[in-house]
């Protein structure tokens, strides 16, 4: 299939051929009909990518802080490898699209093949011919709604969440500062809710459009028309000012914040939706005791992997408006014709022209609020062979040594695999990298491009059935290690699996059963400390061991970010399972024995902080 991707280091855009995503449990596979270009968010991302490294750092100080934390925990070299790997990567664009369901994943109710759905999410609703979308990020679209209008749903949900945060009610007044796409959608949502609206924007044509769409006044700041708007607002509110001011403008000027203070009534709400500078003038905001609120994207559930990726909904009695319900509400407003998108739809381009369209937008040749890609249904349908291998860009293979090279397939290509493991194999002349399979189409393309895999896919099962693959690397998240290891062993492959081999006793028993059943025990776990040159030299220098030893291994690994998948103990196992296996393996290697007795105690407030005691048959502890 085709997908738009950007090389983050160089800023180069490309329309790539990649394997279509496989239809996984918990979501649906969607054939895209239209996708919306976010001229604000996406073009900011495009512009950032063209900056120097220093420019990128200035634009994203939050990422610089992450890098410094990584240096403190993992050291300069490991952090450098990770940063270089991230920079030298293809990233997707897009987060709002509409399409037709082609396949329904296991465990999914309420969707069926052939149904039209609106999709959201910057990992899922991409500018691509096919997208796998989890259930909480797609909503059904009735036949009464035109598909090109449904493509606006995610952006509409952003405006909807801003409206929710304001708690605006019938008969109140509001001012929208910034009349771009989100501002125009918000204006119509407010009007549909019975709120009287005025608008402010530096662009007169956008002000005119706002007046056509229901604003009682709209004007550019520091103009005669703006003075008239202030007078009109005074008449509307008996001189009190707006109940709500919405900041939907972008840029690094502080003018929107000042305008909000000037137009707001005493104790009004100011809701920030756009990415604008927020240097609050203390006196103005203090004297009116303004309530400043932020609106986080599409609504509750955003950035929560349990909600977005695993499909666990929030109970409606506790969270009335989630991001899914906001999206559904916007589609319902389209169905009721309470939102008019025709004036906001500026251009519709063939998806095949995507790269040139971005270049023209970036150069100012294409302007407008709503710019859409239209996908060729016939051509797209022909390209759906979900997850099938796609030939990767060719690069020179290492020179073969005596005998046939080992033919390797990799399942997973995350940051650790791409920065620490695969680069070594790519340089090894004894190895032939045959295929890489990942859940994300673009991560497969990244790995193939960087490391020289001959093929890329999103279906590991096809790879395991391939007789041309001798050995399989399992480089996925912890929870999937055991199952993939069992499948690879059954397929007769030699298996290298990253630690941990399993996250509980049941998974470990399943692997042991498969080895007994197949008699295939060609299995190695990535417990790497025993291969450290420092430890090898130390053990050699220690000499022959005499009598029992007391070995102490003390670890300070730093705190995990609570948003990290690694911290999801319910799904991925505890941190000790994921990391402590390294230390137990190292001690057992040093003593050339397995422990016969284990005891452990952890701090009551934090199960990651613990002391484990291992006793060995010779009396070593």
């Amino acid at each position: 299939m085709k997908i738009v991707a950007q090389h983050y280091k160089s800023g180069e855009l490309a329309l790539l051929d990649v394997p279509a995503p496989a239809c996984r449990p918990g979501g649906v596979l969607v054939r895209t009909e239209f996708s919306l270009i976010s001229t604000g968010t996406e073009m900011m991302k495009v512009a950032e990518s063209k900056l120097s490294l220093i420019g990128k750092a200035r634009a994203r100080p939050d990422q610089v802080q992450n890098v410094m934390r990584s240096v403190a925990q993992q050291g300069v070299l490991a952090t450098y490898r990770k940063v270089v790997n991230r920079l030298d990567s293809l990233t997707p664009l897009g987060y709002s699209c509409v399409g037709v369901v082609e396949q329904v994943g296991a465990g999914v109710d309420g969707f069926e093949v052939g149904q039209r759905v609106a999709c959201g999410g910057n990992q899922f609703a991409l500018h691509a011919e096919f997208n796998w979308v989890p259930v909480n990020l797609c909503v059904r679209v009735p036949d009464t709604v035109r598909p090109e209008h449904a493509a606006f749903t995610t952006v509409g949900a952003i405006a909807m969440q801003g409206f929710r945060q304001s708690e605006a009610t019938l008969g109140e007044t509001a001012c929208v500062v910034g009349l771009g796409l989100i501002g125009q959608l918000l204006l119509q949502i407010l009007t549909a809710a019975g709120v009287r609206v005025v608008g402010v924007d530096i662009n007169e044509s956008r002000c005119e459009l706002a007046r056509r769409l229901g604003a009682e006044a709209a004007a550019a700041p520091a103009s005669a028309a703006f003075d008239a708007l202030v007078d009109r607002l005074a008449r509307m509110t008996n001189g009190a000012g707006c109940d709500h001011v919405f900041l939907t403008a972008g840029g690094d000027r502080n003018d929107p914040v000042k305008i909000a203070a000037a137009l707001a009534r005493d104790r009004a709400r100011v809701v920030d939706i756009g990415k604008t500078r927020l240097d609050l003038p203390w006196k103005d905001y203090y004297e009116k005791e303004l309530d400043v609120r932020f609106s986080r994207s599409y609504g509750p559930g955003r950035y929560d992997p349990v909600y977005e990726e695993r499909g666990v909904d929030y109970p409606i009695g506790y969270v009335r408006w989630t991001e899914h319900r906001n999206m559904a509400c916007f589609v319902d407003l389209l169905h009721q014709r309470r939102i008019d998108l025709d004036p906001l739809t500026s251009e519709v381009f063939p998806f095949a022209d995507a790269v040139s369209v971005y270049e023209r937008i970036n150069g100012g040749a294409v302007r407008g609020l709503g710019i859409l890609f239209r996908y060729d249904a016939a051509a797209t349908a022909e390209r759906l062979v979900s997850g099938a291998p796609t030939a990767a860009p060719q690069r020179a293979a290492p020179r073969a040594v005596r005998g046939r090279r080992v033919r390797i397939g990799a399942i997973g290509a995350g940051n650790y695999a791409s920065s620490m493991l695969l680069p070594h194999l790519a340089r090894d002349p004894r190895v032939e990298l045959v295929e890489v399979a990942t859940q994300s189409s673009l991560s497969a393309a990244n790995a193939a491009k960087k490391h020289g895999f001959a093929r890329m896919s999103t279906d590991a099962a096809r790879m395991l059935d391939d007789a041309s693959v001798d050995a399989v690397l399992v480089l996925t998240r912890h929870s999937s290690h055991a199952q993939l290891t069992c499948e690879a062993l059954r397929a007769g492959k030699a298996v290298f699996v990253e630690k941990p081999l399993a996250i509980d006793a049941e998974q470990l028993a399943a692997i042991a059963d498969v080895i007994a059943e197949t008699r295939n025990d060609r299995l190695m776990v990535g417990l790497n400390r025993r291969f450290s040159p420092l430890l090898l030299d130390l053990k050699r220098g220690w000499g022959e061991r005499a009598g029992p030893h007391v070995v102490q291994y003390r670890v300070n690994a730093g705190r995990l970010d609570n948003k990290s998948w690694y911290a999801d103990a319910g799904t991925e196992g505890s941190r000790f399972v994921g990391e402590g296996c390294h230390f137990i393996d190292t001690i057992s290697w040093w003593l050339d024995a397995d422990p016969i007795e284990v005891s452990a105690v952890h701090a009551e407030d934090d199960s990651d902080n613990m002391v484990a005691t291992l006793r060995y048959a010779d009396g070593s502890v």
Side-chain angles (χ1 to χ4, degrees):
M1 72 166 193
K2 301 286 188 182
I3 186 172
V4 174
Q6 177 190 34
H7 190 266
Y8 188 67
K9 186 176 181 180
S10 68
E12 180 183 359
L13 287 164
L15 192 62
L16 301 177
D17 277 308
V18 298
C23 188
R24 311 197 302 270
V28 293
L29 185 66
V30 177
R31 173 176 55 80
T32 311
E33 294 179 299
F34 292 90
S35 60
L36 176 71
I37 299 176
S38 170
T39 53
T41 303
E42 289 185 54
M43 297 316 295
M44 178 177 66
K45 188 175 179 181
V46 170
E48 279 183 7
S49 71
K50 296 181 182 298
L51 298 173
S52 65
L53 287 177
I54 293 176
K56 286 181 171 71
R58 288 173 176 164
R60 294 297 305 273
D62 56 320
Q63 296 296 337
V64 175
Q65 290 176 356
N66 289 339
V67 169
M68 298 312 295
R69 279 195 293 269
S70 181
V71 168
Q73 293 180 4
Q74 301 180 28
V76 174
L77 183 58
T79 301
Y80 173 77
R81 287 174 178 158
K82 288 172 65 175
V83 170
V84 169
N85 181 57
R86 290 275 175 89
L87 288 173
D88 186 23
S89 295
L90 297 165
T91 60
L93 295 171
Y95 62 87
S96 188
C97 70
V98 65
V100 175
V101 175
E102 292 286 338
Q103 296 176 25
V104 178
V108 173
D109 296 319
F111 294 95
E112 57 189 35
V113 173
Q115 193 174 57
R116 178 169 287 126
V117 290
C119 310
N122 60 357
Q123 298 176 53
F124 307 108
L126 309 174
H127 296 309
E129 290 178 323
F130 294 92
N131 285 294
W132 179 84
V133 187
V135 289
N136 281 343
L137 287 172
C138 57
V139 296
R140 294 182 295 275
V141 176
D143 293 338
T144 53
V145 176
R146 286 159 51 188
E148 60 267 38
H149 287 173
F152 285 78
T153 296
T154 307
V155 180
I158 295 172
M160 184 75 70
Q161 176 61 14
F163 166 74
R164 306 276 184 218
Q165 286 295 89
S166 72
E167 301 181 48
T169 58
L170 180 69
E172 290 187 318
T173 56
C175 176
V176 179
V177 182
L179 296 171
L181 180 57
I182 291 177
Q184 301 285 355
L185 291 171
L186 176 61
L187 184 157
Q188 295 188 65
I189 290 169
L190 289 162
T191 302
V195 178
R196 303 177 70 185
V197 187
V198 298
V200 178
D201 196 282
I202 59 174
N203 187 314
E204 173 52 35
S205 65
R206 293 184 176 184
C207 293
E208 169 58 28
L209 178 59
R211 292 191 290 269
R212 284 168 47 202
L213 293 175
E216 299 197 21
S223 67
F226 185 77
D227 294 338
L229 179 147
V230 173
D231 291 340
R232 177 67 177 271
L233 185 61
R235 292 195 299 273
M236 289 165 57
T237 63
N238 292 322
C242 288
D243 299 292
H244 312 279
V245 182
F246 298 88
L247 304 179
T248 55
D252 57 1
R253 294 175 61 89
N254 208 42
D255 296 354
V257 169
K258 296 177 181 177
I259 291 170
L263 299 183
R265 67 162 168 81
D266 189 58
R267 293 180 174 81
R269 295 192 181 102
V270 178
V271 181
D272 179 48
I273 303 175
K275 187 177 181 181
T276 189
R277 185 175 172 184
L278 283 177
D279 290 343
L280 303 182
W282 181 85
K283 185 173 184 294
D284 296 337
Y285 276 67
Y286 170 79
E287 288 184 346
K288 288 188 175 181
E289 201 174 16
L290 297 179
D291 182 357
V292 180
R293 299 185 176 187
F294 288 85
S295 178
R296 187 170 64 188
S297 202
Y298 331 148
R302 189 71 180 111
Y303 310 114
D304 178 358
V306 175
Y307 178 91
E308 291 192 331
E309 297 174 26
R310 290 163 51 188
V312 179
D313 198 6
Y314 300 153
I316 195 168
Y318 292 89
V319 184
R320 177 62 184 91
W321 293 107
T322 59
E323 57 183 324
H324 179 270
R325 292 193 267 270
N326 276 337
M327 291 171 68
C329 183
F330 184 80
V331 170
D332 192 51
L333 288 176
L334 294 177
H335 167 68
Q336 297 176 44
R337 303 185 188 280
R338 306 291 294 275
I339 302 286
D340 186 2
L341 290 177
D342 282 335
L344 305 182
T345 306
S346 308
E347 301 274 4
V348 180
F349 294 102
F351 182 57
D353 298 339
V355 173
S356 64
V357 169
Y358 275 107
E359 290 171 351
R360 291 163 64 191
I361 294 173
N362 202 40
V366 173
R367 298 178 181 274
L369 296 177
I371 301 173
L372 295 167
F373 288 133
R374 180 182 62 250
Y375 295 73
D376 185 331
T380 301
E382 291 177 3
R383 283 194 276 268
L384 177 60
V385 185
S386 181
T390 300
Q394 294 298 306
R395 76 171 205 178
R399 182 176 58 82
V401 295
R402 195 169 21 178
R404 185 172 65 78
R405 291 185 292 165
V406 177
R407 298 169 299 191
I408 288 179
I411 306 175
N415 202 38
Y416 179 80
S418 293
S419 59
M420 299 294 184
L421 297 179
L422 295 177
H424 298 288
L425 292 172
R427 294 191 296 266
D428 195 321
R430 299 167 297 175
V431 166
E432 179 183 349
L433 296 179
V434 176
E435 184 175 330
V436 57
T438 67
Q439 288 189 344
S440 161
S441 303
L442 210 51
S443 65
N446 269 322
K449 177 177 178 290
K450 289 180 186 177
H451 308 300
F453 285 91
R455 301 194 304 263
M456 52 188 171
S457 76
T458 56
D459 189 349
R462 292 177 189 263
M463 179 204 297
L464 297 180
D465 288 338
D466 187 349
S468 71
V469 174
D470 301 319
V472 169
L473 313 179
V474 178
L475 310 175
T476 54
R477 291 185 180 182
H478 299 169
S479 58
S480 60
H481 285 184
Q483 180 183 342
L484 290 171
T485 297
C486 288
E487 292 172 1
L489 290 171
R490 281 200 180 96
K493 310 298 184 187
V495 181
F496 172 90
V497 56
E498 253 309 324
K499 55 82 193 167
L501 175 60
I503 62 173
D504 56 41
E506 289 75 18
Q507 287 187 355
L508 192 61
I511 295 171
D513 289 344
V514 168
I515 291 174
E517 167 197 330
T518 63
R519 298 191 178 182
N520 179 9
D521 61 356
R522 295 178 300 158
L523 171 64
M524 182 175 182
V525 184
L527 298 167
N528 55 38
R529 301 295 199 274
R530 62 164 67 194
F531 300 105
S532 160
L534 181 64
L535 283 176
L536 289 170
D537 289 346
L538 187 60
K539 189 175 182 181
R540 278 193 294 267
W542 191 256
E544 184 176 350
R545 184 166 59 85
H549 277 42
V550 174
V551 182
Q552 187 172 51
Y553 202 139
R554 185 175 297 167
V555 183
N556 181 359
R559 279 198 176 274
L560 277 178
D561 183 341
N562 60 8
K563 293 181 180 178
S564 169
W565 66 266
Y566 213 97
D568 184 3
T571 301
E572 301 297 338
S574 71
R575 192 179 186 189
F576 188 79
V577 166
E579 296 184 11
C581 50
H582 270 314
F583 317 131
I584 293 173
D585 177 71
T586 303
I587 295 169
S588 297
W589 160 77
W590 185 276
L591 298 174
D592 298 312
D594 292 328
I596 61 171
E597 182 179 283
V598 178
S599 62
V601 61
H602 67 81
E604 291 185 5
D605 64 334
D606 187 348
S607 60
D608 287 340
N609 287 328
M610 63 182 297
V611 175
T613 303
L614 315 175
R615 189 168 67 83
Y616 291 79
D618 70 345
S620 292
V621 179

